[in-house]
Amino acid sequence: MNKERIGKIQELIYELSVKDLMKKKVISVPPDMSMYKLREVLRDNRISGVPVVDKGRIVGIISIEDFINWLSKKGNGSCIKDWMTKDVVTVYEDETLIQAISLFEQKGYGRFPVVERKEKKLVGILTKGVIIESLLHEIEVDYHEEEIRHYRASHFFEDIIADSVTIGLIYHVKGGDVFNGGTVASNVKMSLKRLGVKPDIYRRVSIAVYEAEMNLIFYTKGGEISIYIKPDSICINAQDNGPGIPDVKAALQPGFSTAPDWVRELGFGAGIGLNNIQRCSDKMIIDSMVGRGTILGITIYMDV
Amino acid sequence: MKLLEIIDKLNLEVVTGKNYLDRSITHGYASDLLSDVIANAESNDIWVTLQGHPNIVAVASMKELGGIIIVNGRKPEKETIEKAEKERIPILLSSLPSFEIVGRLWDLGISGSPKDAKKI
């Protein structure tokens, strides 16, 4: 559990862009504002620094530190532009969070104004506080979804009174219907996701279903794919009424294929479909009789 | 690297998924055999192929690939485009052959899977 959480944060750091996280309501000050007035801005908004903006462009950044300097030196100018840092380090809104975090480490500044790439206009601000807040929010959303999924899935099984519960999904596959190839696999994947099945498991199931589905489309007049979801395993059955496989052992050899040219031209029929199924399943059985049909049985265990 | 940058640098034509070009791509896979892609491509990969029929979308969607580059000036079928829009899969076109595209991707820092690099 702990390990997964850390993984999630890393994923977020690489996935999220600055735009997703930054604070969009940026308080800014004009360069000709007086330093007296700056004190009020910082105090009223409870912030320790603020970008200086002239006609939409950033011309500097000014912080409490600069304010203290001004107080202690009592220099000539009393405008913000006389005391601000002019060399501002900004980040682009489309940069990833990981890039921004390394900037914090490199530069040691407390805040980075965010600008958009084309016109370099100020669109937001990024502080460590903003990052922490947004990350926590993202994790909470994720956790919440996880909780709902878990709730839905577990209750589906718990609310039904029986010694054991199995959910069955039946799909019909039309022979030769190449254009719709993959529809069943995609629908199965969606359904398993909704039932709260783990990604690793639904990915394996959808690959097995896809290959079985394409086999029905290419080599049979059509058939049926049924999925039985139990609390501890998922069983997939693909059935057709012919023509049947004359030599099952040979069919299982990688590279063995009876595919006609039109199938091969589509990028199928390389003789690795059944091997792909074998690789994602914990158990696979083929029962075939020439002229009668084939039954392909696949079991995938959920590691509970 | 963002898909948008790849499109820009390799001068690719965007056919579908205009709103999903903001994704980051780090690795890729090249193959015209769909079962091979299913077995060996990894999620978020950019996939280089010359196939243009609708099943490439099913494969890309199932493997959660980052996008498809169709090479050699081939055009995807109408059904492929419709499906790809629905499944939010970016399809990009190039007049270059696979070898050229893969080489150029590698130059941009897009490599194959790290697990394959260890095999040699």
Side-chain angles (χ1 to χ4, degrees):
Chain A
M1 189 69 193
N2 229 338
K3 209 173 144 203
E4 200 171 305
R5 282 294 133 201
I6 292 168
K8 186 68 208 173
I9 289 193
Q10 279 164 340
E11 191 185 316
L12 284 172
I13 287 176
Y14 282 93
E15 254 179 19
L16 290 172
S17 63
V18 168
K19 192 166 58 190
D20 304 325
L21 293 165
M22 68 186 189
K23 203 169 145 203
K24 286 183 186 123
K25 259 197 192 156
V26 197
I27 296 151
S28 64
V29 291
D32 50 5
M33 184 189 260
S34 76
M35 289 299 275
Y36 291 103
K37 192 90 174 63
L38 172 73
R39 191 179 69 128
E40 286 168 32
V41 173
L42 294 181
R43 190 193 53 204
D44 293 350
N45 295 297
R46 294 175 178 225
I47 49 178
S48 55
V50 58
V52 185
V53 173
D54 191 19
K55 297 181 193 102
R57 304 254 155 128
I58 301 177
V59 291
I61 195 156
I62 191 146
S63 68
I64 283 188
E65 214 180 307
D66 302 314
F67 184 76
I68 294 172
N69 275 340
W70 171 70
L71 275 184
S72 65
K73 285 180 188 156
K74 274 291 175 195
N76 302 329
S78 58
C79 275
I80 285 175
K81 64 169 178 272
D82 304 320
W83 294 91
M84 68 187 183
T85 307
K86 284 174 187 133
D87 207 7
V88 190
V89 182
T90 58
V91 292
Y92 289 122
E93 59 177 349
D94 56 7
E95 282 182 280
T96 56
L97 181 54
I98 185 77
Q99 285 169 305
I101 287 179
S102 63
L103 256 188
F104 274 103
E105 276 172 12
Q106 270 171 35
K107 306 280 179 187
Y109 297 152
R111 68 194 59 74
F112 291 99
V114 183
V115 295
E116 45 96 35
R117 221 174 254 278
K118 264 197 194 138
E119 307 207 339
K120 312 272 188 273
K121 288 221 161 131
L122 179 70
V123 289
I125 192 151
L126 202 63
T127 65
K128 283 180 186 167
V130 169
I131 292 179
I132 292 172
E133 214 172 277
S134 321
L135 270 183
L136 284 175
H137 177 73
E138 290 286 334
I139 291 174
E140 199 196 301
V141 169
D142 202 63
Y143 183 68
H144 189 64
E145 279 171 9
E146 172 91 32
E147 264 188 333
I148 292 176
R149 264 209 302 272
H150 188 74
Y151 179 86
R152 260 202 229 147
S154 59
H155 279 250
F156 200 96
F157 284 103
E158 279 166 19
D159 289 348
I160 294 164
I161 305 164
D163 289 339
S164 146
V165 181
T166 300
I167 302 170
L169 316 172
I170 314 283
Y171 300 90
H172 301 286
V173 181
K174 245 166 73 187
D177 188 8
V178 184
F179 277 161
N180 285 312
T183 312
V184 176
S186 136
N187 287 342
V188 168
K189 184 174 160 185
M190 190 90 78
S191 307
L192 294 186
K193 260 187 182 175
R194 286 182 187 158
L195 280 170
V197 173
K198 283 193 201 159
D200 166 49
I201 303 292
Y202 70 62
R203 282 189 193 126
R204 282 163 62 195
V205 173
S206 72
I207 288 177
V209 170
Y210 182 84
E211 294 287 7
E213 182 185 357
M214 294 320 291
N215 281 349
L216 290 182
I217 290 174
F218 286 135
Y219 307 112
T220 76
K221 283 178 187 143
E224 196 177 274
I225 294 180
S226 41
I227 320 282
Y228 298 101
I229 305 147
K230 301 175 191 177
D232 62 343
S233 66
I234 295 178
C235 295
I236 304 156
N237 272 308
Q239 265 189 73
D240 62 70
N241 297 319
I245 305 168
D247 187 346
V248 173
K249 230 181 189 175
L252 282 171
Q253 291 301 310
F256 179 91
S257 177
T258 57
D261 283 347
W262 69 273
V263 170
R264 290 179 198 255
E265 259 163 40
L266 292 172
F268 292 94
I272 40 183
L274 284 174
N275 303 112
N276 272 354
I277 296 180
Q278 224 161 9
R279 275 182 31 194
C280 358
S281 58
D282 292 310
K283 253 193 232 165
M284 183 179 101
I285 306 163
I286 301 181
D287 193 3
S288 189
M289 197 185 268
V290 175
R292 298 286 290 277
T294 303
I295 299 176
L296 171 67
I298 301 155
T299 307
I300 291 170
Y301 294 112
M302 315 219 216
D303 23 53
V304 248
Chain B
M1 175 175 275
K2 295 273 180 207
L3 198 49
L4 260 174
E5 280 180 87
I6 296 176
I7 292 163
D8 185 42
K9 297 240 164 78
L10 299 187
N11 201 12
L12 304 174
E13 182 189 333
V14 180
V15 187
T16 65
K18 289 193 173 64
N19 298 326
Y20 308 102
L21 305 177
D22 199 35
R23 40 184 82 161
S24 292
I25 306 285
T26 49
H27 299 109
Y29 197 77
S31 178
D32 303 321
L33 271 179
L34 276 66
S35 288
D36 174 50
V37 176
I38 289 170
N40 299 315
E42 285 167 17
S43 62
N44 296 322
D45 275 359
I46 182 94
W47 171 23
V48 179
T49 182
L50 51 73
Q51 299 287 1
H53 58 85
N55 279 284
I56 60 172
V57 179
V59 169
S61 153
M62 184 171 61
K63 293 293 285 187
E64 290 161 0
L65 302 181
I68 306 172
I69 300 179
I70 301 179
V71 295
N72 255 352
R74 292 215 186 188
K75 300 268 183 274
E77 290 163 26
K78 202 174 112 246
E79 288 86 351
T80 311
I81 296 172
E82 284 164 9
K83 272 195 173 173
E85 285 296 5
K86 219 176 87 195
E87 299 278 339
R88 305 175 173 187
I89 304 283
I91 292 184
L92 318 163
L93 307 186
S94 173
S95 52
L96 295 173
S98 290
F99 196 89
E100 291 284 338
I101 283 291
V102 172
R104 277 157 213 232
L105 282 170
W106 203 283
D107 278 345
L108 292 177
I110 311 295
S111 62
S113 160
K115 85 173 187 278
D116 290 330
K118 284 187 202 139
K119 283 181 186 166
I120 303 183

